[in-house]
Amino acid sequence: MTLQVIPPELLEVKDKIETKEAQPYWKPSSLKDGESEEFRLLGCYETGHAIMGWQYPSEIRDPKTGELKFNGYVVTRTHPGQPDDISRETDWSPGANRAKIDGTYVKPRRFLAWVATSAARGRLEVLFIEQKSIREQLTEVLQEVEDYTWTEEGLANFSIKISKKGAGLDTRYTIMPKVRAVPDKIKKQWATESESIWLPNYFDGKDPFDGKQVEEKGLPAGGQDKRGAHVSPTKAKTKVVNPEEEF
């Protein structure tokens, strides 16, 4: 059986979700200078466990005060252009009071989201990657199909270590792949939990950890309001494991 592993949009790339530790989301910007984390990619584009999209911060006018205020993040499949609710840019210059600048707007950012298991925490997480440099490096790794292979279930027979060096404009990210056969422990975990995660839910205002939607159930993912704005996802408590265990 041959699965389509890579989201097709990832190969076309030429050119905040804020979370707490207890939540099953992770983004490279959470690393500090000199830190790294290791993950194993699980599932793929065809199985609904890897997607690409666009995200932008939204503003909404307060009905009481008339002032514009932050209204979460909007997630779209394609570039949204310049929608009416897109947030204005913030003045980040030295000494500024971080006020919004009228007439200037934040640019939508492209992202790659992929389900993975964390070596440090031993749980299924969503890697939310906005950095172009990381996507390009990952694309190179994924195209080395003879060295970095996948099981029939779509589990990576390798891990990726994401490292961060520097800060601010001098920040650099690198990916180091390492061949690692999938241990039975992770295969069993995936067989039990894979259907509970469906990343296309992002585009429908539902929680990715609520599984594939075959009928209306539950509330949007702490997810999106009626305007399509993404709000913080719900918490999920998971067991922390010894990083020295088999990964």
Side-chain angles (χ1 to χ4, degrees):
M1 176 177 65
T2 302
L3 295 175
Q4 182 174 353
V5 173
I6 305 174
E9 297 89 348
L10 183 58
L11 299 177
E12 298 173 2
V13 178
K14 302 298 181 184
D15 314 342
K16 157 175 181 182
I17 293 180
E18 294 295 340
T19 66
K20 297 180 181 179
E21 186 61 23
Q23 295 174 316
Y25 297 81
W26 186 87
K27 54 183 181 179
S29 59
S30 66
L31 292 172
K32 297 179 181 179
D33 181 15
E35 289 186 339
S36 63
E37 287 228 22
E38 188 173 5
F39 300 90
R40 182 190 300 273
L41 301 177
L42 304 176
C44 58
Y45 173 75
E46 186 174 318
T47 62
H49 298 108
I51 61 171
M52 287 193 71
W54 295 84
Q55 177 179 257
Y56 68 87
S58 170
E59 287 186 332
I60 190 172
R61 197 168 295 281
D62 189 311
K64 295 182 179 180
T65 66
E67 296 181 355
L68 287 170
K69 62 179 183 179
F70 178 66
N71 191 44
Y73 287 90
V74 177
V75 177
T76 61
R77 292 181 182 274
T78 58
H79 194 290
Q82 187 173 310
D84 294 337
D85 64 337
I86 195 167
S87 176
R88 296 160 295 164
E89 289 185 350
T90 301
D91 185 357
W92 294 104
S93 59
N97 61 2
R98 306 294 184 262
K100 295 290 185 179
I101 306 174
D102 290 333
T104 64
Y105 301 93
V106 174
K107 294 181 180 179
R109 300 190 66 180
R110 200 168 197 186
F111 71 85
L112 166 67
W114 206 309
V115 179
T117 186
S118 160
R121 292 171 291 280
R123 66 182 186 183
L124 300 188
E125 301 183 345
V126 174
L127 305 188
F128 198 89
I129 300 173
E130 295 178 299
Q131 293 83 357
K132 177 183 174 182
S133 63
I134 297 180
R135 294 199 305 268
E136 290 178 341
Q137 292 177 67
L138 182 57
T139 300
E140 292 182 7
V141 171
L142 296 178
Q143 291 185 99
E144 295 181 22
V145 294
E146 294 184 359
D147 295 324
Y148 304 111
T149 62
W150 300 75
T151 69
E152 289 188 354
E153 298 80 16
L155 309 181
N157 282 315
F158 58 93
S159 65
I160 56 171
K161 179 183 289 186
I162 302 177
S163 303
K164 179 179 180 180
K165 290 288 186 182
L169 297 178
D170 293 325
T171 301
R172 297 290 182 272
Y173 294 95
T174 58
I175 285 183
M176 179 66 69
K178 182 176 182 179
V179 175
R180 290 178 179 272
V182 185
D184 289 339
K185 178 181 178 180
I186 291 181
K187 289 181 180 179
K188 292 178 180 178
Q189 180 184 26
W190 185 244
T192 302
E193 302 181 31
S194 61
E195 292 187 3
S196 69
I197 306 177
W198 180 254
L199 295 189
N201 281 351
Y202 267 125
F203 303 124
D204 297 324
K206 296 182 173 63
D207 191 338
F209 285 85
D210 200 21
K212 187 175 183 179
Q213 303 294 289
V214 294
E215 60 182 5
E216 292 295 326
K217 66 172 183 177
L219 297 173
Q224 293 184 356
D225 63 15
K226 293 180 180 179
R227 294 175 61 85
H230 185 90
V231 188
S232 298
T234 55
K235 294 183 178 180
K237 295 182 179 180
T238 53
K239 181 182 71 172
V240 177
V241 300
N242 187 335
E244 297 302 321
E245 292 182 2
E246 185 179 22
F247 172 66

